[in-house]
Short mmCIF file of all heavy atoms in Angstrom, two decimals:
data_model
loop_
_atom_site.label_atom_id
_atom_site.label_comp_id
_atom_site.label_asym_id
_atom_site.label_seq_id
_atom_site.Cartn_x
_atom_site.Cartn_y
_atom_site.Cartn_z
N ASN A 139 5.20 7.02 -9.02
CA ASN A 139 4.90 5.82 -8.26
C ASN A 139 3.54 5.97 -7.59
O ASN A 139 3.24 7.01 -7.00
CB ASN A 139 5.99 5.58 -7.21
CG ASN A 139 5.72 4.38 -6.35
OD1 ASN A 139 5.01 4.47 -5.37
ND2 ASN A 139 6.29 3.25 -6.73
N SER A 140 2.72 4.95 -7.68
CA SER A 140 1.34 5.04 -7.18
C SER A 140 1.29 5.29 -5.68
O SER A 140 0.46 6.08 -5.21
CB SER A 140 0.58 3.76 -7.52
OG SER A 140 1.21 2.62 -6.97
N ALA A 141 2.17 4.64 -4.90
CA ALA A 141 2.14 4.84 -3.44
C ALA A 141 2.52 6.27 -3.08
O ALA A 141 1.92 6.88 -2.18
CB ALA A 141 3.08 3.86 -2.76
N ARG A 142 3.49 6.82 -3.79
CA ARG A 142 3.92 8.19 -3.50
C ARG A 142 2.87 9.19 -3.99
O ARG A 142 2.64 10.22 -3.34
CB ARG A 142 5.29 8.45 -4.13
CG ARG A 142 6.36 7.48 -3.63
CD ARG A 142 7.77 7.86 -4.03
NE ARG A 142 7.97 8.14 -5.43
CZ ARG A 142 8.67 7.37 -6.29
NH1 ARG A 142 9.22 6.23 -5.86
NH2 ARG A 142 8.83 7.72 -7.55
N MET A 143 2.21 8.90 -5.11
CA MET A 143 1.11 9.76 -5.56
C MET A 143 -0.03 9.75 -4.54
O MET A 143 -0.62 10.78 -4.23
CB MET A 143 0.61 9.29 -6.93
CG MET A 143 1.57 9.52 -8.07
SD MET A 143 1.04 8.69 -9.60
CE MET A 143 -0.54 9.48 -9.92
N TYR A 144 -0.33 8.57 -4.03
CA TYR A 144 -1.39 8.42 -3.03
C TYR A 144 -1.06 9.24 -1.79
O TYR A 144 -1.92 9.91 -1.20
CB TYR A 144 -1.53 6.94 -2.70
CG TYR A 144 -2.80 6.53 -2.01
CD1 TYR A 144 -3.97 6.35 -2.73
CD2 TYR A 144 -2.83 6.27 -0.65
CE1 TYR A 144 -5.14 5.94 -2.10
CE2 TYR A 144 -3.99 5.85 -0.02
CZ TYR A 144 -5.14 5.70 -0.75
OH TYR A 144 -6.29 5.30 -0.13
N ASP A 145 0.21 9.20 -1.39
CA ASP A 145 0.65 10.00 -0.24
C ASP A 145 0.44 11.49 -0.52
O ASP A 145 0.02 12.24 0.37
CB ASP A 145 2.12 9.70 0.03
CG ASP A 145 2.70 10.51 1.18
OD1 ASP A 145 2.30 10.25 2.33
OD2 ASP A 145 3.53 11.40 0.92
N TYR A 146 0.70 11.90 -1.74
CA TYR A 146 0.50 13.30 -2.12
C TYR A 146 -0.98 13.68 -2.03
O TYR A 146 -1.34 14.74 -1.51
CB TYR A 146 1.02 13.50 -3.54
CG TYR A 146 0.84 14.89 -4.11
CD1 TYR A 146 1.51 15.99 -3.57
CD2 TYR A 146 0.01 15.10 -5.21
CE1 TYR A 146 1.36 17.26 -4.11
CE2 TYR A 146 -0.15 16.36 -5.77
CZ TYR A 146 0.53 17.44 -5.21
OH TYR A 146 0.37 18.70 -5.75
N TYR A 147 -1.85 12.80 -2.51
CA TYR A 147 -3.29 13.06 -2.41
C TYR A 147 -3.73 13.23 -0.96
O TYR A 147 -4.64 14.00 -0.66
CB TYR A 147 -4.08 11.90 -3.03
CG TYR A 147 -3.99 11.77 -4.53
CD1 TYR A 147 -3.87 10.51 -5.12
CD2 TYR A 147 -4.04 12.88 -5.36
CE1 TYR A 147 -3.80 10.36 -6.50
CE2 TYR A 147 -3.97 12.75 -6.74
CZ TYR A 147 -3.84 11.48 -7.30
OH TYR A 147 -3.77 11.35 -8.67
N LEU A 148 -3.09 12.49 -0.05
CA LEU A 148 -3.46 12.53 1.36
C LEU A 148 -2.79 13.68 2.12
O LEU A 148 -2.99 13.84 3.32
CB LEU A 148 -3.11 11.20 2.04
CG LEU A 148 -3.98 10.00 1.63
CD1 LEU A 148 -3.41 8.72 2.22
CD2 LEU A 148 -5.42 10.20 2.07
N GLY A 149 -1.95 14.46 1.41
CA GLY A 149 -1.29 15.58 2.06
C GLY A 149 0.00 15.21 2.75
O GLY A 149 0.48 15.97 3.60
N GLY A 150 0.58 14.06 2.40
CA GLY A 150 1.83 13.64 3.01
C GLY A 150 3.04 14.33 2.39
O GLY A 150 2.90 15.24 1.56
N SER A 151 4.23 13.87 2.75
CA SER A 151 5.46 14.50 2.27
C SER A 151 6.41 13.50 1.61
O SER A 151 7.52 13.87 1.21
CB SER A 151 6.19 15.19 3.43
OG SER A 151 6.50 14.24 4.45
N ALA A 152 6.02 12.25 1.48
CA ALA A 152 6.90 11.21 0.95
C ALA A 152 6.67 11.02 -0.55
O ALA A 152 6.19 9.98 -1.00
CB ALA A 152 6.70 9.90 1.70
N HIS A 153 7.02 12.05 -1.32
CA HIS A 153 6.83 11.98 -2.76
C HIS A 153 7.86 12.88 -3.44
O HIS A 153 8.49 13.73 -2.81
CB HIS A 153 5.41 12.40 -3.15
CG HIS A 153 4.88 13.57 -2.38
ND1 HIS A 153 5.32 14.87 -2.60
CD2 HIS A 153 3.99 13.64 -1.37
CE1 HIS A 153 4.70 15.68 -1.75
NE2 HIS A 153 3.89 14.97 -0.99
N PHE A 154 8.01 12.66 -4.74
CA PHE A 154 8.99 13.40 -5.53
C PHE A 154 8.28 14.24 -6.58
O PHE A 154 7.06 14.09 -6.79
CB PHE A 154 9.97 12.42 -6.19
CG PHE A 154 10.76 11.60 -5.22
CD1 PHE A 154 10.33 10.33 -4.87
CD2 PHE A 154 11.92 12.10 -4.65
CE1 PHE A 154 11.05 9.57 -3.96
CE2 PHE A 154 12.65 11.34 -3.74
CZ PHE A 154 12.22 10.07 -3.39
N ALA A 155 9.03 15.09 -7.26
CA ALA A 155 8.43 15.99 -8.24
C ALA A 155 7.69 15.22 -9.33
O ALA A 155 6.60 15.63 -9.77
CB ALA A 155 9.51 16.88 -8.86
N ILE A 156 8.25 14.09 -9.76
CA ILE A 156 7.61 13.32 -10.82
C ILE A 156 6.28 12.74 -10.36
O ILE A 156 5.33 12.61 -11.15
CB ILE A 156 8.56 12.21 -11.32
CG1 ILE A 156 8.08 11.69 -12.68
CG2 ILE A 156 8.72 11.09 -10.29
CD1 ILE A 156 9.11 10.86 -13.41
N ASP A 157 6.17 12.42 -9.07
CA ASP A 157 4.90 11.92 -8.51
C ASP A 157 3.87 13.04 -8.45
O ASP A 157 2.70 12.83 -8.78
CB ASP A 157 5.13 11.36 -7.11
CG ASP A 157 6.23 10.33 -7.06
OD1 ASP A 157 6.21 9.40 -7.87
OD2 ASP A 157 7.13 10.47 -6.21
N ARG A 158 4.32 14.21 -8.02
CA ARG A 158 3.40 15.34 -7.92
C ARG A 158 2.88 15.75 -9.30
O ARG A 158 1.71 16.10 -9.44
CB ARG A 158 4.09 16.52 -7.23
CG ARG A 158 4.47 16.23 -5.78
CD ARG A 158 4.96 17.46 -5.05
NE ARG A 158 6.28 17.92 -5.48
CZ ARG A 158 7.42 17.44 -5.00
NH1 ARG A 158 7.42 16.47 -4.09
NH2 ARG A 158 8.58 17.93 -5.42
N LYS A 159 3.75 15.69 -10.31
CA LYS A 159 3.33 16.05 -11.66
C LYS A 159 2.24 15.10 -12.15
O LYS A 159 1.20 15.53 -12.69
CB LYS A 159 4.53 15.99 -12.61
CG LYS A 159 4.20 16.19 -14.10
CD LYS A 159 3.65 17.57 -14.38
CE LYS A 159 3.62 17.89 -15.87
NZ LYS A 159 2.73 17.00 -16.64
N ALA A 160 2.44 13.81 -11.96
CA ALA A 160 1.44 12.83 -12.40
C ALA A 160 0.14 13.00 -11.61
O ALA A 160 -0.95 12.94 -12.19
CB ALA A 160 1.98 11.42 -12.23
N ALA A 161 0.26 13.20 -10.30
CA ALA A 161 -0.93 13.37 -9.48
C ALA A 161 -1.69 14.64 -9.88
O ALA A 161 -2.92 14.64 -9.96
CB ALA A 161 -0.55 13.42 -8.01
N ASP A 162 -0.96 15.71 -10.14
CA ASP A 162 -1.61 16.95 -10.55
C ASP A 162 -2.28 16.81 -11.91
O ASP A 162 -3.35 17.39 -12.16
CB ASP A 162 -0.60 18.10 -10.58
CG ASP A 162 -0.21 18.59 -9.19
OD1 ASP A 162 -1.00 18.36 -8.25
OD2 ASP A 162 0.87 19.19 -9.05
N ASP A 163 -1.68 16.03 -12.80
CA ASP A 163 -2.30 15.77 -14.10
C ASP A 163 -3.64 15.05 -13.92
O ASP A 163 -4.62 15.34 -14.62
CB ASP A 163 -1.38 14.94 -14.99
CG ASP A 163 -0.19 15.74 -15.52
OD1 ASP A 163 -0.20 16.98 -15.39
OD2 ASP A 163 0.76 15.11 -16.02
N ALA A 164 -3.65 14.09 -13.00
CA ALA A 164 -4.90 13.37 -12.72
C ALA A 164 -5.93 14.30 -12.08
O ALA A 164 -7.11 14.30 -12.47
CB ALA A 164 -4.63 12.17 -11.83
N LEU A 165 -5.48 15.10 -11.12
CA LEU A 165 -6.40 16.00 -10.42
C LEU A 165 -6.99 17.05 -11.36
O LEU A 165 -8.14 17.47 -11.17
CB LEU A 165 -5.67 16.70 -9.27
CG LEU A 165 -5.35 15.83 -8.05
CD1 LEU A 165 -4.38 16.56 -7.12
CD2 LEU A 165 -6.62 15.45 -7.31
N ALA A 166 -6.22 17.46 -12.36
CA ALA A 166 -6.71 18.48 -13.29
C ALA A 166 -7.94 17.99 -14.05
O ALA A 166 -8.82 18.77 -14.41
CB ALA A 166 -5.61 18.86 -14.27
#
Side-chain angles (χ1 to χ4, degrees):
N139 178 275
S140 58
R142 302 190 309 249
M143 290 170 61
Y144 197 79
D145 178 70
Y146 178 66
Y147 290 139
L148 290 172
S151 59
H153 41 74
F154 298 96
I156 197 166
D157 307 309
R158 296 189 289 275
K159 173 64 167 63
D162 286 338
D163 287 348
L165 288 168

